[in-house]
Amino acid sequence: MTTKAIRGTFFDFTDDPWKHVGDEEASARFVSDGLLVIDDGIIVAFGPFAEVSPSYPDVPTTHIEHRIITPGFIDGHIHFPQTRVLGAFGLQLLPWLQKWVFPEEARYADREYARDGAVRFFDNILASGTTTVQAFTSTAPVCTEEFFEEATRRNMRVMSGLTGIDQNAPDYFADTPESFYSNSTALIEKYHNVGRNLYAVTPRFAFGSSPEQMQKCEQLKAEHPDVWVNTHISENPHEIRGVLALHPDCDDYLSVYEKYKLVGPKFSGGHAVWLSDDEFKRIHDSDASVTFCPHSNLFLGSGLFRLGKATDPDMRVRMSFGTDMGGGNRFGMLAVLDGAYKVGMINNTVLDGSIDPSRMNAAESERNKLSAFRAFYSITLGGAEGLYIDDKVGSFDVGKEADFVALDWKAGPPGAEWHAELIADGGDPVTVDDAANMLFGVMIVGDERAVAETWVMGEKAYQRAEAVAPTFARHFDPAH
């Protein structure tokens, strides 16, 4: 058992800021000079330095200065074997999958290729401040194995599973219901709840899984009720029409998953762009969740997620945010927040009455606005709540795992530092309002360069290359 402490400026959440419209500061916890005490990777004390430090006089302490320390970012929807197709010319979802994604994901059936891809994948997400992912793999068991093995080497909290698809995919890539079931069973036994690994039964989407494979998903969930379910839902209009043609007994996309008893706690539906109001209500009623992936929804022309609807207090749904890399064109959650803010502002304009007074909904319009409080909650505590892991990560509460990110609010493209000097007289944040303004600048003006350090279970997992010695930089810089 090793005890250590981190001193610095901390910002996390104790509640959902959408519950505090007009007073979002009430959801946040800001400690300008705090101390985080960690024992064997678990938080054992947290609070103002002056209050906590007397109880730990001999604990080795690292002082992270001139940074805002937040919980590690949570990516609720990302595709591990799409690392190399990041930036491939988009098309729309279904032709993009056929041209770029399926050929690349098929390469991950080779263990050495998958192992190399896993190193590159985790290097990039850690450099972006992400410490937890819910990830898709491929139809090849070795792809899922190498994902979990590399995550274990880095001691990261991850959720994943063999990705099932047995129709509407090339023959060289598709699996069968029987192989999906048997391979998933073996992977659950090997990885679920081993270390920080969690398993998710993963039908890629209802367009790609036959009724027979969906039945195998239902069987897996029944046999292993504590596993997660991760899939896509209502991403693209062509996809939706295809799903309903395959399931004429279903009125909407969600009802396909409901038919196979997959919707409930620990269910995540990625994208959810075209969900009806009734589907949102049923997701709320079942305590399932959705994942907002703004960059891929824009890149592939899928549509605009209704953030204001998802946060309706009468039917609030659990929600995480995701990069959906490589449909999403960035690895980092800071970039996701930039995209989510812009999607929200478009929807805000659609509903504020300025375009069509008959569609005016002032409350929903306002809920689309992504303040720094709403944004950073969504990729920390809110993401953890959406994925049912808020007992483990997402805030600095005692008993949680010590994953966190140190953000440099002056880093980024030319002009970022000058902008930052408008706040707190150019110094460190003194108030929660200072911190929120700096974090908003990080998500809009800044980029991944704002991630100065990423810590996993109280151990440094990444440090910005230019801030450290060259040999250390080579080890952590994803470019090497």
Side-chain angles (χ1 to χ4, degrees), residues 250-267:
C250 295
D251 294 329
D252 54 37
Y253 205 134
L254 182 64
S255 61
V256 177
Y257 296 124
E258 291 171 331
K259 180 170 64 172
Y260 296 102
K261 300 180 178 61
L262 298 176
V263 180
K266 297 185 178 181
F267 171 93

Side-chain angles (χ1 to χ4, degrees), residues 32-55:
S32 61
D33 184 16
L35 191 69
L36 185 76
V37 184
I38 304 161
D39 191 355
D40 201 27
I42 303 299
I43 299 169
V44 295
F46 174 63
F49 178 82
E51 296 178 11
V52 177
S53 59
S55 299

Side-chain angles (χ1 to χ4, degrees), residues 28 37 81 83 172 192 205 213 235 280 310 326 364 382 389 397 413 461:
V37 184
T83 300
Y172 65 79
H192 184 51
F205 56 170
Q213 190 171 75
E235 179 179 0
F280 269 116
E364 183 175 337
I389 52 173
D397 287 351

Side-chain angles (χ1 to χ4, degrees), residues 212-445:
E212 293 76 19
Q213 190 171 75
M214 294 298 291
Q215 288 169 358
K216 293 300 184 183
C217 292
E218 180 181 3
Q219 183 178 351
L220 287 165
K221 179 62 175 173
E223 292 172 348
H224 307 278
D226 65 327
V227 300
W228 277 249
V229 176
N230 183 31
T231 190
H232 296 76
I233 189 169
S234 295
E235 179 179 0
N236 175 278
H238 293 289
E239 167 215 11
I240 296 166
R241 284 194 290 272
V243 168
L244 296 181
L246 292 168
H247 298 273
D249 57 325
C250 295
D251 294 329
D252 54 37
Y253 205 134
L254 182 64
S255 61
V256 177
Y257 296 124
E258 291 171 331
K259 180 170 64 172
Y260 296 102
K261 300 180 178 61
L262 298 176
V263 180
K266 297 185 178 181
F267 171 93
S268 288
H271 299 285
V273 174
W274 299 101
L275 290 180
S276 65
D277 290 355
D278 185 63
E279 286 173 293
F280 269 116
K281 183 179 186 305
R282 283 149 49 206
I283 289 173
H284 162 79
D285 291 344
S286 63
D287 223 6
S289 69
V290 298
T291 305
F292 179 18
C293 305
H295 273 302
S296 63
N297 295 341
L298 295 171
F299 180 70
L300 296 173
S302 298
L304 304 177
F305 176 77
R306 294 192 293 160
L307 183 61
K309 185 64 182 179
T311 52
D312 183 340
D314 293 331
M315 56 179 72
R316 176 69 152 96
V317 300
R318 290 178 179 262
M319 178 170 55
S320 62
F321 283 22
T323 59
D324 194 33
M325 188 286 308
N329 58 314
R330 294 289 187 276
F331 272 98
M333 298 306 295
L334 295 176
V336 167
L337 295 183
D338 172 53
Y341 173 82
K342 293 167 183 174
V343 169
M345 289 303 291
I346 293 171
N347 283 332
N348 172 260
T349 301
V350 169
L351 295 172
D352 70 3
S354 59
I355 300 173
D356 182 356
S358 69
R359 295 187 62 188
M360 182 175 180
N361 185 327
E364 183 175 337
S365 177
E366 193 282 332
R367 290 194 300 270
N368 280 293
K369 295 180 179 178
L370 199 66
S371 67
F373 295 100
R374 294 172 175 180
F376 281 86
Y377 164 79
S378 297
I379 64 171
T380 57
L381 182 59
E385 291 171 346
L387 298 179
Y388 282 86
I389 52 173
D390 52 300
D391 60 326
K392 299 175 176 64
V393 294
S395 73
F396 296 125
D397 287 351
V398 170
K400 293 190 178 183
E401 298 158 352
D403 296 345
F404 54 90
V405 179
L407 296 172
D408 180 357
W409 60 87
K410 293 185 178 181
E417 182 174 3
W418 200 31
H419 164 77
E421 291 175 355
L422 290 171
I423 307 163
D425 295 324
D428 290 355
V430 177
T431 67
V432 66
D433 187 60
D434 290 339
N437 285 324
M438 289 174 176
L439 290 173
F440 187 79
V442 164
M443 80 185 220
I444 298 298
V445 180

Side-chain angles (χ1 to χ4, degrees), residues 15-164:
D15 201 4
D16 177 356
W18 273 282
K19 294 180 181 178
H20 300 271
V21 176
D23 185 26
E24 293 179 17
E25 293 182 5
S27 67
R29 175 168 50 186
F30 172 71
V31 184
S32 61
D33 184 16
L35 191 69
L36 185 76
V37 184
I38 304 161
D39 191 355
D40 201 27
I42 303 299
I43 299 169
V44 295
F46 174 63
F49 178 82
E51 296 178 11
V52 177
S53 59
S55 299
Y56 299 90
D58 301 319
V59 172
T61 300
T62 299
H63 194 177
I64 303 177
E65 298 184 89
H66 314 305
R67 304 286 186 260
I68 298 176
I69 303 171
T70 74
F73 303 152
I74 297 168
D75 188 337
H77 188 109
I78 190 169
H79 290 260
F80 154 52
Q82 291 181 20
T83 300
R84 199 174 184 182
V85 297
L86 180 69
F89 178 62
L91 311 172
Q92 284 199 4
L93 173 65
L94 298 181
W96 178 76
L97 290 172
Q98 296 288 341
K99 180 176 181 179
W100 292 105
V101 173
F102 294 147
E104 174 62 16
E105 290 192 6
R107 295 186 177 99
Y108 280 71
D110 176 82
R111 188 174 295 278
E112 291 303 316
Y113 194 92
R115 185 172 297 160
D116 180 55
V119 171
R120 296 171 185 269
F121 174 83
F122 283 105
D123 279 349
N124 276 285
I125 64 170
L126 285 167
S128 302
T130 297
T131 55
T132 294
V133 294
Q134 178 174 244
F136 291 81
T137 59
S138 77
T139 54
V142 297
C143 177
T144 304
E145 290 170 354
E146 290 304 320
F147 172 86
F148 278 128
E149 293 295 335
E150 186 63 26
T152 298
R153 282 189 281 272
R154 299 176 190 239
N155 202 19
M156 292 182 65
R157 172 65 63 188
V158 298
M159 307 157 69
S160 192
L162 185 72
T163 299

